[in-house]
Amino acid sequence: MNSAVIASLLAAVPGLMLKTDPADLEHYGRDWTRRWTPAPLAIAFPESAQQVQAIVRWARVEGVAIVPSGGRTGLSGGAVAAHGELVLSLERMAKVLGFDAVDRTLTVQAGTPLEAVHNAAREHELAYPVDFASRGSCSIGGTIATNAGGIRVIRYGNTREWIAGLKVVTGAGDLLELNRSLIKNSSGYDLRHLFIGSEGTLGIVVEATLRLTAPSAPTNVMLLALPSFEALMDVFAILRSHLALEAFEFFTDRALAHVLAHGAQAPFAEVHPYYVVAEFEAADEAQEAAALAAFEACAETGLVSDAVLSSSDAQAAQLWRLREGITESLAAFRPYKNDVSVRVSAMPAFLAEAQALLAAGYPGFEVVWFGHIGDGNLHINVLTPEGMGETEFVARCSEVTDTLADILQRHGGSISAEHGIGLVKKPWLESTRSAEEIAVMRGIRQVLDPSGIMNPGKLFDSRPAA
Amino acid sequence: MNSAVIASLLAAVPGLMLKTDPADLEHYGRDWTRRWTPAPLAIAFPESAQQVQAIVRWARVEGVAIVPSGGRTGLSGGAVAAHGELVLSLERMAKVLGFDAVDRTLTVQAGTPLEAVHNAAREHELAYPVDFASRGSCSIGGTIATNAGGIRVIRYGNTREWIAGLKVVTGAGDLLELNRSLIKNSSGYDLRHLFIGSEGTLGIVVEATLRLTAPSAPTNVMLLALPSFEALMDVFAILRSHLALEAFEFFTDRALAHVLAHGAQAPFAEVHPYYVVAEFEAADEAQEAAALAAFEACAETGLVSDAVLSSSDAQAAQLWRLREGITESLAAFRPYKNDVSVRVSAMPAFLAEAQALLAAGYPGFEVVWFGHIGDGNLHINVLTPEGMGETEFVARCSEVTDTLADILQRHGGSISAEHGIGLVKKPWLESTRSAEEIAVMRGIRQVLDPSGIMNPGKLFDSRPAA
């Protein structure tokens, strides 16, 4: 059966590279979530937009579902292929296609890793400012599919802000060139923004033209130890008013303990409940003086228990490692990940309720908090208790998420700040989007993917439940 | 007939204010274009989102078309009601609803004038940076419907960048609250961006939450006289690399002549082919020195024929008036307006072709150029020759636009940079959007406006021509 389907694909797309080895099916059939058993039909590695188009057109005729696949570093199951889908990997479409000095844009194929984009921009003394820890393995197409955020959103915004133009193949098999990389273009609906964050459910990003910016001025990094969550909000307000913040990331003592257990060096002699890594412009003496003044303002009011100001790039990198090492240090515990956001102004009230819920809902569980306070974005990782099976653990976490979603709903938040909905957050989409909105999204999906072959079952079901 | 329809509307929306006087029908039935004869059914002035919803639901049942109406300063006929439509004016929904200091957002009803938004932001020592000459009369809802650009795009981007959240009533009569003003929200398709720039064809913006920013540092303004268009591109490159540009606007000698005839004061003793108004940060001595250095670099290479650097706010305002007075000074000539854009890098090649076309296509016509070089956006106004009737003039201009659209298509540009498509640019939408894109837009319109009542005939026809 499968071999006939594959033969038909190869006939429809001559020269297409395919993999069907069990090891490949497993490797390419999942992302960084580990909850589903990979079971794709095959992995296709197109080399051009035209091949992608041919694959989609074939899939429509044959009724085969397609799972677009970048670096598969996603945390919501958006790239999982567990039901005989064809995985369409962009791995062999990873070229930098062009740079324009006047427009300050870089055009790349969708499979290009984020870090390769950073490097290509740097070669031209410019910067692509979207950044996060999986930069070496994630693909630019995947960052577009989830409107990836990361550690510099406070200064530079999300991926959405940096996409000048997109080439996409829709679920109907059409190749669309969206926005032509124009700065000003008021000529109908901006379909580019519709594709950004659509998690492969409307089509496949094959090429992107990215805006670049001047590299940031020299920066410095400080690590602060704080006594409470309330202090965190106050310190954020003080630093934001004194400094040009590039990043403001927090984590808890438990997060730090895991990173230290993973080999990092303890920054302070004592343990504190909360920590902040703040990066800020320090281009001249005035800015350095402002940093000291801000730090003193925090210390005087007792908001900060201890602090380090980096004195070298190496030390700055070491401080960053304490924050960036968290996800990796938790991986072995198969954490249940919450990635929620509220307006920054709603954070204190939301947190009070969420902390109470999680303490009550997870007695004895280890809950690790970290995230991007300046963007209203919290990551709440619940670690699997020793000896608890995955099914029981996920069921238990899902119950708590039901209540967390209610709290988010009440505070006007989102069940997914930057990871996407995928499979993991799908049961709670309605906490963030109204029934009317979901009906509109369903209608739009039908327009762009009339045969329902694009990443089916992800984000929301194409047809409402009967 | 009409009175029965109006009675049914009043029954469906108790307390709704309506106007049907001939003078009102004429006033509210048109925008700043003057090509169509206003002929609306009536003007409705709802006072709440709920009333807007009730009107839309009534209109669906009765099959009455709705034209959303803000300040009607549009230049593409997007707010024209010439076929018995109900004009839905947001004039009585013009309140500032809230300000949040932590989120730095301002929530306003859609009818709020742009200038009132500026003033409200200023009260909180913040700024809403989208700005253009019709600020006193345009409504914020209208700026969202066209993704308005204006004179600060080079620094702050278009309206799209400043919309944290939107409340809209769709053509189906649903009230959607889009994005909840979150900074990070990856929970499905971003319908907010779909509505921005949709020109009232998907629904009606009733409320917006706007991001504010710190007011710009003190600025200075220079006026430069230039010998050629080529010099303009070079001067832009030099100034951009030396200065923090807030605006870089050009106009031609003909544009200046009209503004002077309208009462402005001549800035230079001699006449020059091109002028630039550049505004840039001048917060400290270093920035002022950079401005002088940039100016000297231009002068040395012979790029600049003459120049003025403003020495007071009053003088800066006077220099700006030379650019901002253009549209008003041309109004009496009923200009045919082109508002085109290309990538900045494509500008020289596009211009060479466009200038040759316009010289050949409009022998003896007066053609006035101005615009936003830094955004790749040119305004090309063709003035009605004395004694030529409107029909003949528009027919003649349309012929030239056919060729201009071909040139734009070849250079990857847009037939509408910031005015929108409306009625005026509709015949040339296909120069900017492919047939496949238009088919997708048509499908999306059908999802959000299933009865085809939202601003029908604008942007594109809801059904393809038979």
Side-chain angles (χ1 to χ4, degrees):
Chain A
M1 165 61 188
N2 278 3
S3 62
V5 176
I6 286 169
S8 127
L9 172 56
L10 287 173
V13 192
L16 178 65
M17 179 174 153
L18 276 182
K19 289 185 178 178
T20 54
D21 282 0
D24 289 321
L25 297 182
E26 179 165 351
H27 178 68
Y28 287 97
R30 65 184 184 189
D31 59 12
W32 279 8
T33 57
R34 287 289 180 270
R35 207 185 295 172
W36 292 271
T37 308
L41 166 74
I43 327 298
F45 297 87
E47 292 192 283
S48 67
Q50 287 64 39
Q51 279 200 337
V52 173
Q53 250 188 309
I55 295 169
V56 172
R57 286 173 175 175
W58 166 85
R60 283 195 71 178
V61 172
E62 298 291 327
V64 171
I66 291 177
V67 176
S69 181
R72 293 178 313 291
T73 57
L75 299 167
S76 292
V80 165
H83 296 99
E85 303 95 333
L86 178 68
V87 172
L88 191 158
S89 168
L90 280 302
E91 212 170 83
R92 297 190 0 133
M93 291 176 64
K95 284 197 256 321
V96 174
L97 299 173
F99 165 74
D100 191 295
V102 175
D103 296 330
R104 288 189 177 174
T105 54
L106 189 75
T107 300
V108 299
Q109 288 183 308
T112 309
L114 177 58
E115 196 165 49
V117 168
H118 289 163
N119 294 341
R122 200 175 298 122
E123 272 176 37
H124 300 287
E125 291 171 23
L126 291 167
Y128 181 70
V130 176
D131 194 19
F132 41 88
S134 65
R135 61 184 74 83
S137 16
C138 72
S139 74
I140 199 78
T143 69
I144 293 166
T146 54
N147 186 25
I151 56 179
R152 314 252 164 205
V153 171
I154 196 177
R155 175 74 180 262
Y156 297 103
N158 298 292
T159 296
R160 184 180 297 291
E161 269 75 57
W162 299 94
I163 307 300
L166 280 184
K167 272 193 194 162
V168 302
V169 173
T170 68
D174 293 321
L175 179 66
L176 306 184
E177 191 185 337
L178 302 175
N179 198 50
R180 297 181 166 185
S181 303
L182 296 166
I183 295 172
K184 282 181 167 177
N185 181 16
S186 184
S187 65
Y189 314 151
D190 195 328
L191 303 180
R192 166 187 53 151
H193 281 292
L194 195 59
F195 273 84
I196 298 170
S198 64
E199 302 188 47
T201 63
L202 301 177
I204 300 152
V205 173
V206 292
E207 194 179 302
T209 297
L210 311 170
R211 287 196 204 295
L212 306 179
T213 185
S216 31
T219 58
N220 207 343
V221 175
M222 58 167 80
L223 178 75
L224 307 173
L226 306 174
S228 69
F229 215 106
E230 293 66 40
L232 205 58
M233 297 301 297
D234 292 341
V235 166
F236 172 63
I238 291 172
L239 293 194
R240 183 169 72 159
S241 70
H242 282 75
L243 302 176
L245 283 175
E246 292 263 324
F248 185 92
E249 299 281 306
F250 94 99
F251 47 94
T252 59
D253 54 345
R254 289 178 186 227
L256 181 62
H258 283 282
V259 177
L260 297 182
H262 234 69
Q265 204 185 325
F268 301 118
E270 288 177 42
V271 169
H272 303 271
Y274 297 93
Y275 302 92
V276 164
V277 173
E279 184 166 340
F280 50 93
E281 263 191 29
D284 52 32
E285 283 177 17
Q287 285 189 318
E288 280 174 19
L292 274 178
F295 174 70
E296 277 163 20
C298 293
E300 271 167 28
T301 47
L303 293 168
V304 170
S305 316
D306 206 344
V308 189
L309 189 66
S310 81
S311 57
S312 67
D313 285 357
Q315 194 184 4
Q318 205 174 16
L319 296 179
W320 260 117
R321 222 165 291 138
L322 301 175
R323 164 64 184 86
E324 292 214 300
I326 297 172
T327 297
E328 202 186 324
S329 76
L330 300 179
F333 300 90
R334 296 183 162 229
Y336 182 92
K337 288 176 177 289
N338 295 287
D339 160 42
V340 303
S341 66
V342 293
R343 281 171 292 117
V344 178
S345 61
M347 185 67 87
F350 166 73
L351 261 174
E353 284 195 54
Q355 282 182 307
L357 163 73
L358 296 174
Y362 291 116
F365 283 46
E366 188 174 354
V367 181
V368 179
W369 299 66
F370 59 98
H372 324 278
I373 286 288
D375 317 322
N377 179 193
L378 292 175
H379 296 290
I380 310 166
N381 283 235
V382 185
L383 308 194
T384 315
E386 245 187 271
M388 189 178 280
E390 175 146 41
T391 312
E392 186 189 345
F393 177 60
V394 170
R396 184 69 177 276
C397 291
S398 295
E399 274 172 40
V400 181
T401 305
D402 287 343
T403 315
L404 185 66
D406 286 345
I407 300 179
L408 272 172
Q409 168 81 301
R410 228 173 325 107
H411 292 281
S414 174
I415 194 73
S416 177
E418 56 180 358
H419 293 171
I421 297 295
L423 290 169
V424 173
K425 299 302 169 198
K426 198 171 103 172
W428 300 283
L429 180 61
E430 281 166 37
S431 70
T432 305
R433 309 296 295 264
S434 68
E436 291 84 355
E437 278 185 89
I438 295 172
V440 169
M441 292 200 280
R442 192 169 276 130
I444 290 173
R445 188 167 180 174
Q446 186 109 38
V447 169
L448 280 144
D449 176 26
S451 308
I453 56 167
M454 288 309 311
N455 223 359
K458 312 291 168 56
L459 192 42
F460 53 82
D461 291 314
S462 300
R463 280 167 192 79
Chain B
M1 164 63 187
N2 279 2
S3 63
V5 175
I6 285 169
S8 127
L9 172 57
L10 287 173
V13 193
L16 178 65
M17 178 174 153
L18 276 182
K19 289 186 178 177
T20 53
D21 282 358
D24 289 320
L25 297 183
E26 178 165 351
H27 179 68
Y28 287 97
R30 65 184 184 188
D31 59 12
W32 279 9
T33 58
R34 287 291 180 267
R35 207 186 294 172
W36 292 271
T37 308
L41 165 74
I43 327 297
F45 297 87
E47 290 193 286
S48 67
Q50 287 64 37
Q51 278 200 337
V52 173
Q53 251 188 308
I55 294 169
V56 172
R57 286 173 175 175
W58 167 85
R60 281 195 72 179
V61 172
E62 298 291 327
V64 171
I66 291 176
V67 175
S69 180
R72 293 178 313 291
T73 56
L75 298 167
S76 292
V80 165
H83 297 98
E85 302 95 333
L86 178 69
V87 172
L88 192 156
S89 169
L90 281 301
E91 210 169 85
R92 289 176 27 118
M93 291 176 65
K95 284 198 253 322
V96 174
L97 299 174
F99 166 73
D100 191 295
V102 175
D103 297 330
R104 290 190 175 172
T105 54
L106 189 75
T107 300
V108 299
Q109 288 183 307
T112 310
L114 177 59
E115 195 166 49
V117 168
H118 290 163
N119 294 340
R122 199 175 297 122
E123 272 176 35
H124 300 287
E125 292 171 21
L126 290 168
Y128 181 70
V130 177
D131 194 20
F132 41 87
S134 64
R135 62 184 72 84
S137 17
C138 73
S139 74
I140 199 78
T143 69
I144 293 166
T146 52
N147 185 26
I151 56 179
R152 315 255 164 203
V153 171
I154 196 176
R155 175 73 181 263
Y156 296 103
N158 299 292
T159 296
R160 184 179 299 289
E161 269 76 56
W162 299 93
I163 306 301
L166 280 184
K167 272 193 194 161
V168 302
V169 173
T170 69
D174 293 321
L175 179 65
L176 307 184
E177 191 185 336
L178 302 175
N179 197 51
R180 297 180 166 186
S181 304
L182 297 166
I183 296 172
K184 280 181 169 179
N185 182 16
S186 183
S187 66
Y189 314 150
D190 195 327
L191 303 179
R192 165 186 53 152
H193 281 292
L194 196 59
F195 273 84
I196 299 169
S198 65
E199 302 187 49
T201 63
L202 301 177
I204 300 152
V205 173
V206 292
E207 195 179 303
T209 298
L210 312 170
R211 288 195 202 297
L212 305 180
T213 186
S216 32
T219 58
N220 207 342
V221 175
M222 58 167 81
L223 179 74
L224 306 173
L226 306 174
S228 68
F229 215 105
E230 293 66 40
L232 204 58
M233 296 301 297
D234 292 341
V235 166
F236 172 62
I238 290 172
L239 293 194
R240 182 169 73 160
S241 70
H242 283 74
L243 303 176
L245 284 176
E246 293 263 324
F248 185 92
E249 299 280 306
F250 93 100
F251 47 95
T252 59
D253 55 345
R254 290 180 185 224
L256 181 62
H258 283 283
V259 178
L260 297 183
H262 235 67
Q265 204 184 325
F268 300 117
E270 289 177 40
V271 170
H272 302 270
Y274 296 93
Y275 301 92
V276 165
V277 173
E279 184 165 341
F280 49 93
E281 262 191 30
D284 52 32
E285 283 177 17
Q287 286 189 318
E288 280 175 19
L292 274 178
F295 173 70
E296 276 163 20
C298 294
E300 271 166 28
T301 47
L303 293 169
V304 170
S305 316
D306 206 344
V308 188
L309 189 65
S310 80
S311 57
S312 68
D313 286 356
Q315 194 185 5
Q318 205 174 15
L319 296 179
W320 260 118
R321 221 165 291 139
L322 300 176
R323 163 65 184 84
E324 291 213 300
I326 297 172
T327 297
E328 202 186 322
S329 75
L330 301 179
F333 300 91
R334 297 184 161 227
Y336 181 93
K337 288 176 178 291
N338 294 287
D339 160 42
V340 302
S341 66
V342 293
R343 281 171 291 117
V344 179
S345 62
M347 186 68 87
F350 166 73
L351 261 175
E353 285 194 52
Q355 282 182 307
L357 163 73
L358 296 174
Y362 291 116
F365 283 47
E366 188 173 353
V367 181
V368 178
W369 298 66
F370 59 98
H372 324 278
I373 286 289
D375 316 322
N377 180 192
L378 292 175
H379 296 291
I380 309 166
N381 282 236
V382 185
L383 308 194
T384 315
E386 245 187 270
M388 189 179 281
E390 176 148 39
T391 312
E392 186 188 346
F393 177 60
V394 170
R396 183 69 177 275
C397 290
S398 295
E399 274 171 41
V400 180
T401 305
D402 287 343
T403 315
L404 185 66
D406 287 345
I407 299 179
L408 271 172
Q409 168 81 301
R410 227 172 326 108
H411 292 280
S414 175
I415 194 74
S416 176
E418 57 180 358
H419 294 172
I421 297 294
L423 291 169
V424 173
K425 298 302 168 197
K426 199 171 103 172
W428 299 283
L429 179 61
E430 282 167 37
S431 70
T432 306
R433 309 297 296 262
S434 68
E436 291 84 355
E437 278 185 88
I438 295 171
V440 169
M441 291 200 281
R442 191 169 276 130
I444 290 173
R445 188 166 180 173
Q446 186 109 37
V447 168
L448 281 144
D449 177 26
S451 308
I453 57 167
M454 288 309 310
N455 223 0
K458 311 289 168 57
L459 192 44
F460 53 82
D461 290 315
S462 299
R463 279 167 193 81

